[in-house]
Each structure stands twice: as structure tokens, then as C-alpha cells.
Amino acid sequence: MPRYEGVSPSVIRRLPRYHRFLEDLQRRDVHRISSRELSALMNLTASQIRQDLNCFGGFGQQGYGYNVDALLGEIGNILGLQRDYRSILIGAGNLGLAIAKHMTFETKGFNLIGIFDRNKELVGMPVRHLVISDINRLENFCKTFSPQVAILCIPKASAQEISDKLIRLGIKGFWNFSHYDLTLDHPDIAVENVHLGDSLMTLCYQVSEILE
Ligand code: NAI
């Protein structure tokens, strides 16, 4: 049962952007903003903002605008950012290490509790507060610590076997960089696919619109 029934995925996809802008306002000590100012800042119409936020009951007040701290808190609650889902990262290569080192999981609803790789040369290497573990220890680790989310930074060829195993071990969500389409075999699992190449191709289109 969805927590916010009838809210379209496109509205949910816009919430992190609201969160990012509001966080920036809060950092700059701005505690109140009119819907017109917020819409100019975010390059959205005021009515789009109202429509989006009304899906969750609306947070603005006529003549006052939005209370930045309250709205930030509400959006954080809707996204579940306080949840601290236990997460593991599989594949500590170039991409996996960059993600493990630079993502602030803690402020985005996740707690990174394990990093795994099959390359023995990487095993034992410290990464932030963790040490890379041998993939052979995955099963025992999952049985002991019950991670809920996995970040896949492994090649497509390895991803199917590993993801099937992880689902058997209780993983409910994937942040999937692997280019393997998990949703075909596992429609009941939460999957967020990331393809940086898609973003780059979209930029290519936009640049070609300007240059040609
Ligand atoms: P990499 O070769 O540096 O790292 C891959 C790591 O995965 C290696 O350390 C390898 O030992 C490990 N690995 C492979 N199979 C494994 C298994 N079954 N169990 C545990 N560990 C395993 O490669 P890189 O650059 O980090 O990229 C990783 C993957 O992510 C590539 O397949 C690449 O295509 C993909 N990628 C996806 C992007 C996206 O936007 N979705 C962007 C960049 C890379």
C-alpha cells in the first residue's frame, strides 16, 4: 500500500529538487519564502509548486508563503530521509569507490554498513568508516546485519546473479548502476536505475539544438 496514494511518480521525482533548494535557503538563513520567489528560484511556475505540494496536503499559507524549515522537514518526512536504511555496496572499483567516498548517505535516508568486492587485492582496503569485504562473506553478513538496500556498481554480466542472491537474502531496494534491468525479473523490488550516459546523451541533444 503506497504511503501517499494517488501521488504520481513525477511529483515524487521532483521532491528531491525542492529539498535541495530549500536546504540551500536554510543554509543561507532564509526562513520564509513566497511561492513567487520559490518559483523564480526553481524555474517552475507558482501553480506547479502549489499543485505538487497540495498532493501532500499543501504547506503554504495565503499571504505568508512557505516556512522553509517546516517545508524542508515535511519533504524530508515524505521522502523518508530520517530512515537510515541499512545499505551495502557491491563492486568497489572506480565507480563504487567514488560513490562510497563522496555520497552523504546519512542525509539521504541510508546508512552504508558494508562494501564488497570479489577482487582479493581490494579486500581489507579502508573506505571511510568501513573496510572492503570479500564477496564470499556476503551471505553471512546479510544474515547477521539484514541490510535492506544494495548499491550495484558491478558490470552487467555479474549483476543478475548477485541481485538474485541479494533478493533471496532480503534486499528490498537497489540503487542500480549496473546497466542490468532488474525490474524485468523482480517487479516487486524498488529499483532506481542510474545511467549517467543517458544524461550525457540528453545534453548532446540540447547542445545540438543550440549549435545547429
Ligand atoms: P571497475 O572495473 O573499476 O569496478 C568493478 C568492480 O566490480 C571491480 O572491482 C570488480 O572486482 C567488481 N566485481 C565484478 N563482479 C563482481 C561480483 N560478482 N562480485 C563482487 N564484485 C564484483 O568498473 P567501474 O568503472 O567501477 O564500473 C562498474 C560498472 O558500472 C561497469 O560495469 C560500468 O559499465 C558501470 N557504470 C555505470 C555507470 C552508470 O551511469 N550507470 C557509469 C559508470 C560505470
Side-chain angles (χ1 to χ4, degrees):
M1 176 84 158
R3 285 186 302 139
Y4 294 96
E5 222 174 337
V7 177
S8 78
S10 54
V11 174
I12 302 290
R13 284 204 174 273
R14 282 197 287 273
L15 291 183
R17 187 159 179 265
Y18 285 110
H19 195 273
R20 187 155 39 82
F21 275 87
L22 290 162
E23 221 173 22
D24 190 50
L25 287 169
Q26 196 182 51
R27 261 195 297 271
R28 290 192 279 125
D29 255 354
V30 177
H31 298 291
R32 173 181 164 179
I33 189 163
S34 72
S35 61
R36 194 143 42 87
E37 288 167 326
L38 186 60
S39 64
L41 195 66
M42 294 187 64
N43 200 17
L44 290 171
T45 64
S47 95
Q48 167 90 80
I49 294 180
R50 265 194 306 276
Q51 264 176 38
D52 283 351
L53 300 181
N54 278 345
C55 295
F56 308 97
F59 304 112
Q61 277 172 37
Q62 198 77 39
Y64 177 89
Y66 295 103
N67 177 314
V68 170
D69 303 322
L71 185 55
L72 188 63
E74 293 290 352
I75 291 177
N77 283 339
I78 294 163
L79 290 169
L81 303 187
Q82 74 289 3
R83 289 190 186 250
D84 247 11
Y85 287 120
R86 291 181 298 284
S87 312
I88 54 176
L89 185 143
I90 316 290
N94 294 307
L95 180 65
L97 282 182
I99 289 173
K101 285 179 185 167
H102 300 297
M103 276 310 292
T104 48
F105 291 92
E106 312 75 31
T107 59
K108 297 184 174 58
F110 300 93
N111 179 13
L112 186 64
I113 61 168
I115 303 178
F116 295 85
D117 202 289
R118 68 178 178 190
N119 180 349
K120 307 283 183 226
E121 287 180 15
L122 294 175
V123 171
M125 188 175 114
V127 182
R128 286 172 75 177
H129 58 294
L130 299 168
V131 165
I132 299 173
S133 302
D134 193 313
I135 194 73
N136 291 335
R137 300 189 55 199
L138 183 65
E139 195 156 336
N140 273 344
F141 183 95
C142 289
K143 285 179 181 160
T144 309
F145 298 106
S146 308
Q148 296 139 310
V149 170
I151 302 152
L152 291 187
C153 298
I154 48 178
K156 188 175 180 182
S158 301
Q160 178 165 14
E161 188 195 330
I162 289 282
S163 55
D164 286 350
K165 183 171 187 173
L166 287 167
I167 289 167
R168 278 200 308 279
L169 289 166
I171 292 290
K172 300 288 183 235
F174 288 88
W175 197 22
N176 179 28
F177 290 84
S178 78
H179 300 311
Y180 160 62
D181 193 348
L182 269 154
T183 39
L184 287 179
D185 294 331
H186 304 287
D188 297 336
I189 297 292
V191 181
E192 186 63 23
N193 295 308
V194 184
H195 299 288
L196 296 179
D198 289 6
S199 173
L200 199 55
M201 285 191 274
T202 309
L203 176 66
C204 184
Y205 173 83
Q206 290 170 0
V207 172
S208 65
E209 288 283 281
I210 294 170
L211 293 181
E212 282 158 36

